[in-house]
Amino acid sequence: LWFKLTLIGLALLLMFLFYKNRANRQRKNLIRENETKQKVAELELSALRAQMNPHFVFNALGAIQYYVQTQEVEKADEYLTSFARLMRMYLEASKEKLISVADEIDLLKIYTSLEKMRFEDLFDMEIKVDERLDIEEKFLPGMLIQPFVENAINHGLSHRRDRKGFLKIEFLNDPDGFRCEITDNGIGYGNAKKIKPSKHKSQGMNIVRDKIETLRYSGVAEINITVSDSNPNDKKYPGTKIMILISKVNQNEKPQINHRR
């Protein structure tokens, strides 16, 4: 009886050790797999951060060339100086996973001023910040907002020829984090789709969509976007309102150096 009990005990022990060893191997493989996926996500995010919409660069260089050809030397110099500063800030932002809201606002101010010059003041713009929001201590993925602003200008406001276009960018406090609202009184998303050439691909927006998925997957931040008409009762200029909610920002990814100049 004791011999049989000993054999059963050894068999049970061996089975326990076998299943425990297999569980440990599975756990290690899962950890290794997650680490690999994390590295891939980080590489994808680095590639996405480094990309800029070539459409904007092409238009900016075209504007500089136009000012040179029309001998508007001061405007050409002003545009080129701002464009060079914007490129430097883009390069600095592309090195970091997150930048401060303050840095993002600086980027947007320069970018919108260039677009206002290029479109010869077809629109006015305003950037507002919630007084409860500490823009130096709140962080978001770099170059996240600019493509939405670019879309609002190029596909909404640029079609208003009455010079009554208006663009408002607001950074607001939110219980889940903070949000950015981009509102324009342009022709609206639906009308823009009708007149937008089918061969045109918005690379900036494609990059943003990929970036949002990668940010969520890699645990850097959660981004949720809603799009609606800003003034649906106006059939000609219903405008567009984009709400970007930024939450669950991983504070460990914030830059160690303040790049502001």
Side-chain angles (χ1 to χ4, degrees):
L1 178 62
W2 284 108
F3 179 72
K4 290 180 179 179
L5 289 174
T6 302
L7 287 178
I8 293 170
L10 285 172
L12 291 173
L13 178 62
L14 288 172
M15 289 175 63
F16 171 75
L17 292 174
F18 172 77
Y19 284 110
K20 184 180 179 181
N21 184 52
R22 190 171 72 171
N24 285 337
R25 283 202 312 270
Q26 289 176 340
R27 182 171 54 83
K28 288 179 181 178
N29 288 337
L30 184 61
I31 292 172
R32 193 178 296 115
E33 184 181 348
N34 287 335
E35 287 176 348
T36 302
K37 288 179 179 178
Q38 181 80 11
K39 288 178 181 178
V40 171
E42 288 179 358
L43 288 171
E44 288 177 354
L45 189 57
S46 297
L48 290 169
R49 286 201 309 269
Q51 295 183 59
M52 264 195 67
N53 190 348
H55 193 244
F56 162 67
V57 177
F58 178 80
N59 287 335
L61 295 176
I64 295 169
Q65 185 180 29
Y66 170 78
Y67 289 134
V68 171
Q69 289 175 344
T70 55
Q71 297 183 346
E72 297 179 74
V73 180
E74 289 186 5
K75 278 192 174 182
D77 183 64
E78 180 185 352
Y79 198 102
L80 186 57
T81 300
S82 295
F83 181 69
R85 186 183 173 207
L86 183 65
M87 292 301 98
R88 180 175 66 84
M89 293 177 72
Y90 270 141
L91 289 172
E92 288 178 349
S94 71
K95 298 173 186 176
E96 309 286 357
K97 289 183 180 178
L98 300 173
I99 66 171
S100 69
V101 173
D103 283 336
E104 184 74 6
I105 290 172
D106 285 345
L107 283 164
L108 292 172
K109 283 180 178 177
I110 299 174
Y111 170 73
T112 51
S113 69
L114 288 172
E115 292 291 67
K116 278 193 70 175
M117 284 182 65
R118 185 166 72 89
F119 285 108
E120 299 179 334
D121 293 318
L122 274 181
F123 65 93
D124 289 319
M125 68 87 57
E126 177 186 21
I127 296 179
K128 293 183 69 175
V129 179
D130 190 333
E131 60 183 16
R132 298 171 298 170
L133 191 67
D134 187 345
I135 61 174
E136 295 285 355
E137 294 301 323
K138 289 290 186 180
F139 294 86
L140 76 164
M143 293 186 286
L144 176 69
I145 309 298
Q146 184 269 338
F148 293 99
V149 175
E150 181 173 345
N151 259 20
I153 294 171
N154 285 276
H155 304 305
L157 294 170
S158 66
H159 297 288
R160 281 197 74 141
R161 314 311 296 181
D162 57 1
R163 297 188 178 276
K164 293 181 180 179
F166 189 75
L167 173 68
K168 182 166 68 173
I169 305 170
E170 295 181 275
F171 289 89
L172 304 165
N173 206 31
D174 190 277
D176 294 324
F178 66 96
R179 67 185 189 275
C180 176
E181 293 184 358
I182 303 162
T183 308
D184 69 72
N185 63 348
I187 62 171
Y189 179 75
N191 292 330
K193 282 185 71 175
K194 293 175 184 176
I195 64 173
K196 186 177 175 181
S198 58
K199 65 179 181 179
H200 175 73
K201 294 182 180 179
S202 180
Q203 293 299 323
M205 295 310 301
N206 288 337
I207 291 169
V208 167
R209 279 190 287 270
D210 291 342
K211 180 187 287 189
I212 288 170
E213 287 302 313
T214 308
L215 286 166
R216 182 182 294 115
Y217 186 81
S218 59
V220 176
E222 286 276 350
I223 313 294
N224 290 286
I225 298 168
T226 57
V227 181
S228 60
D229 290 338
S230 60
N231 188 12
N233 293 325
D234 189 333
K235 299 302 180 183
K236 188 175 182 180
Y237 299 121
T240 304
K241 182 175 183 177
I242 299 170
M243 193 277 285
I244 307 168
L245 176 63
I246 298 112
S247 61
K248 298 181 182 179
V249 176
N250 186 348
Q251 295 298 316
N252 294 326
E253 303 291 357
K254 69 180 183 180
Q256 301 299 313
I257 299 173
N258 189 341
H259 292 294
R260 298 192 79 192
R261 297 289 185 267

